[in-house]
């Protein structure tokens, strides 16, 4: 049996486009002892993958040209040669982007979807949810009455981060790129205020929305939006740095130029800290439990933007950088059976 | 009896100059109950004072036009109306810049100079020494074998910070502005290597000096020098942000423009943290003891640059921004009696 696989065709310079990707037909193998045959249901496309498309030192090895892209996948067990899994089980893992997988049983973990669509394991109950959790709760540490600002507030991470801050009693302001997203975060998620950066004058909008300054800035986008945040940081402010999507598509030789943060960090005695979800592996269990309960009870809400069909992965990925998604951007590859 | 006082004449736009300051003749008052009459011996001029010359929100109230400048002072008790002090005692405190002071006894503290020149209480055993201590030991937390880079490495703070990192077993590289300072930090202080930024190509010099990357960057200067540090940060690097002297004299409407740090902080999962010595008041006692013992034993070395005479305070202050001082910049106002 044949299947499609998505490979890196060439390294992008600037924004990825159709030439960045190539589809390849490969065989579906048979699972051996302690192996599983999986069918891909959902694939997650994430901004951090842009970093892996470049060739250079980072926290994660670069994708290789002609080799498969990979990322978060939710799949269903077709054939199990392991006692740990049964046919029909829903599993998740970091897997190549292809329609079927033969994996060792320990390469994936079974998903408790709390009765929800299994894609939840790629969103609020997956990497983005955990990222929001550790960034907000372990670095941000929101307290009752504090002011929390989140950029990329309607994204996969932002939507969870803001609700966690609300649960802690903070006043939460989200920065978003459209009216639709503004409505989503204020009306559905319960953020106190939305700033639409495309309306311009972000410094003025921020000042008006944060008369008491900013205690936590959850950084997802970088760029000029963040430049406007620094002067408003309160004493002992915390800035979990999760992403800087505005800078991911710089062309070769371009630098991310803006306002240097040093004097603002001194004035506010503020802390700015980059982090990766993997650094908190010791705390995954408690985070899954807390997020799972909040999602199952309906307290923690979330949105997904789903494209259909394996062939739509490139468009779904490129769309991340034009801000078209609300919540987690996913590609649905096959129906659950 | 009359004495000189130094006041803020006008707020500087850009680098302070002679017009920034004015001298004023005032009376020497008589001390009352529980008060002291002090004679100024040494005055400390420090880069952070530039921030107080501007009118705007900061961690410390701005100087007022026509009102005295103030800062760290070492003085000798001329007359004591308090049982806590005796004539001849050496004391230190944050005091107005003038030749004599009448203060409440609790406004100053007695100095143990460990047999050294009493100016030590304005340098390694004063605010700069404590600043280096908390930035390096509480935020930087150097470990055996790590690579530590310090900008402004021959300054009042830098000279202590680097030696603390050496004591912890780190490999220490200092960035300085002259051959004389390079010799001082390598030959006298025992830094492993000096980078002279005026020789140009700081990125290349840094890369060559730090083949294993940078674990701690102790930030004193900001600007392009620091821009060259970010790509070299190792995983879980720490950046105590003590100062950014290169940006203190921006003119009205100018911004400190350079490379944004977000992507570097994410890649390295690095922490950048502004701090003030006052935030660590609970730990002053242990810091004084540790620094005092190390200074008294000769293990911790330090340098001072001393100008003579009350009237030289403006020049001493302006000289901070042209990098003329090695170690602490002081003004000697009177001889100890």
């Amino acid at each position: 049996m044949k299947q499609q696989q998505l490979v890196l065709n060439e390294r992008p310079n600037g924004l990825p486009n159709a030439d960045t990707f190539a589809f390849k037909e490969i065989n579906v193998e048979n699972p051996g002892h302690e192996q599983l045959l999986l069918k891909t249901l959902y694939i997650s496309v994430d901004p951090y993958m842009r970093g892996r498309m470049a060739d250079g030192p980072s926290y994660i090895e670069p994708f290789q040209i002609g080799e498969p892209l990979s990322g978060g996948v939710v799949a269903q067990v077709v054939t199990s040669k392991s006692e740990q899994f049964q046919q029909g089980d829903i599993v998740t893992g970091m897997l190549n982007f292809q329609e079927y997988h033969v994996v060792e049983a320990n390469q994936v973990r079974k998903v408790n979807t709390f009765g929800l669509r299994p894609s939840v394991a790629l969103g609020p109950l997956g990497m983005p949810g955990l990222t929001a959790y550790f960034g907000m709760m372990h670095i941000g540490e929101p307290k009752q009455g504090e002011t929390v600002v989140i950029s990329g507030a309607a994204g996969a991470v932002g939507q969870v981060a803001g609700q966690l801050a609300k649960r802690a009693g903070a006043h939460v302001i989200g920065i978003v790129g459209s009216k639709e997203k503004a409505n989503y975060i204020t009306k559905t998620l319960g953020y106190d205020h939305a700033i639409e950066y495309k309306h311009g004058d972000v410094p003025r909008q921020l000042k008006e929305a944060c008369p008491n300054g900013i205690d936590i800035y959850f950084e997802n986008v970088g760029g000029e939006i963040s430049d406007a945040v620094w002067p408003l940081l309160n004493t002992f402010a915390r800035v979990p740095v999760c992403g800087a999507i505005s800078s991911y598509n710089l062309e070769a030789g371009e630098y991310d130029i803006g306002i240097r943060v040093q004097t603002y960090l001194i004035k506010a005695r503020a802390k700015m800290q980059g982090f990766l979800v993997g650094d908190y592996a010791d705390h995954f269990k408690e985070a899954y439990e807390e997020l799972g309960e909040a999602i199952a009870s309906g307290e923690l809400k979330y949105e997904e933007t789903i494209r259909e069909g394996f062939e739509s992965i490139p468009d779904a990925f490129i769309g991340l950088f034009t801000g078209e998604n609300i919540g987690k951007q996913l590609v649905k590859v096959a129906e659950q059976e």
Side-chain angles (χ1 to χ4, degrees), chain A:
Chain A
M1 195 166 97
K2 296 284 182 186
Q3 64 163 328
Q4 292 288 310
Q5 183 184 62
L6 186 70
V7 304
L8 182 65
N9 184 50
E10 60 178 37
R11 300 199 184 281
N13 184 17
L15 194 68
N17 58 38
D19 293 336
T20 307
F21 307 90
F23 290 92
K24 193 167 156 184
E25 202 174 71
I26 61 169
N27 287 321
V28 178
E29 308 289 338
N30 291 313
H33 181 63
E34 280 303 313
Q35 290 187 326
L36 311 171
L37 174 65
L38 307 175
K39 182 167 82 167
T40 298
L41 301 181
Y42 293 94
I43 276 175
S44 171
V45 290
D46 294 278
Y48 80 87
M49 291 172 54
R50 177 62 183 83
R52 300 190 68 183
M53 292 179 179
D55 195 8
S58 187
Y59 52 81
I60 185 166
E61 59 182 310
F63 293 125
Q64 297 304 321
I65 291 170
E67 296 294 316
L69 300 173
S70 60
V73 169
V74 161
Q76 190 162 25
V77 177
V78 178
T79 309
S80 172
K81 297 286 177 76
S82 161
E83 286 190 352
Q84 298 172 64
F85 292 90
Q86 294 194 315
Q87 189 182 346
D89 279 352
I90 303 294
V91 298
T92 187
M94 294 295 284
L95 300 174
N96 289 344
F97 284 0
Q98 53 196 47
E99 294 172 284
Y100 292 88
H101 312 264
V102 170
V103 300
E104 305 298 321
N106 63 11
Q107 270 183 273
V108 294
R109 67 176 176 83
K110 226 177 284 193
V111 170
N112 177 356
T113 60
F114 294 89
L116 301 160
R117 188 156 50 189
S119 56
V120 71
L122 297 175
L125 259 185
M127 193 268 284
L130 292 177
T131 300
Y133 183 89
F134 294 113
M136 185 57 76
M137 304 312 289
H138 285 232
I139 299 176
E141 300 186 75
K143 290 168 198 68
Q144 181 77 33
E146 288 193 323
T147 298
V148 176
V149 173
I150 297 166
S151 58
V157 175
Q159 65 178 352
V160 177
Q163 292 179 87
L164 291 173
K166 279 303 298 176
R167 288 176 91 199
H171 186 76
V172 179
I173 291 114
I175 307 177
V176 294
S178 72
K179 185 77 194 159
E180 191 190 0
K181 290 178 181 176
N183 283 337
Y184 169 59
I185 65 170
T186 52
K187 296 189 178 149
T188 304
L189 302 186
Y191 281 47
D192 296 286
H193 185 74
I195 290 175
E196 290 180 54
Y197 70 84
K198 288 177 183 169
H199 284 186
D201 206 347
V202 174
R204 185 190 51 75
Q205 290 194 67
L206 264 173
K207 240 180 255 173
E208 287 177 10
C210 307
N212 300 320
I214 297 171
D215 298 293
I216 299 174
Y217 175 57
F218 194 103
E219 171 70 294
N220 283 311
V221 307
E224 286 182 17
I225 289 172
S226 304
D227 289 352
V229 166
W230 313 138
L232 300 177
L233 292 179
N234 285 336
T235 303
F236 301 127
R238 291 83 69 195
V239 182
V241 184
C242 171
I245 193 169
S246 71
S247 71
Y248 291 177
N249 291 307
L250 292 172
E251 298 192 10
E254 269 190 310
Y255 287 95
D256 184 20
I257 300 296
I259 294 180
R260 293 195 183 98
V261 293
Q262 286 96 316
T263 53
Y264 301 105
L265 296 184
I266 297 169
K267 279 183 188 169
R269 293 105 100 185
K271 178 177 77 172
M272 200 170 170
Q273 187 166 354
F275 70 101
L276 284 183
V277 65
D279 301 335
Y280 295 90
D282 289 351
H283 299 277
F284 276 7
K285 195 165 168 289
E286 70 200 55
Y288 275 125
E289 279 170 14
E290 195 173 334
L291 290 169
E293 281 167 24
I295 292 166
S297 73
E299 189 196 353
L300 190 74
K301 298 177 179 61
Y302 67 100
E303 194 57 77
E304 297 169 326
T305 301
I306 300 183
R307 284 186 178 247
E308 300 279 337
F310 190 82
E311 67 286 356
S312 64
I313 300 173
D315 285 345
F317 180 71
I318 294 165
L320 292 171
F321 300 99
T322 53
E324 66 174 35
N325 57 303
I326 292 192
K328 186 75 201 83
Q329 177 67 58
L330 298 166
V331 175
K332 183 174 173 183
V333 176
E335 281 293 344
Q336 182 176 351
E337 276 169 24

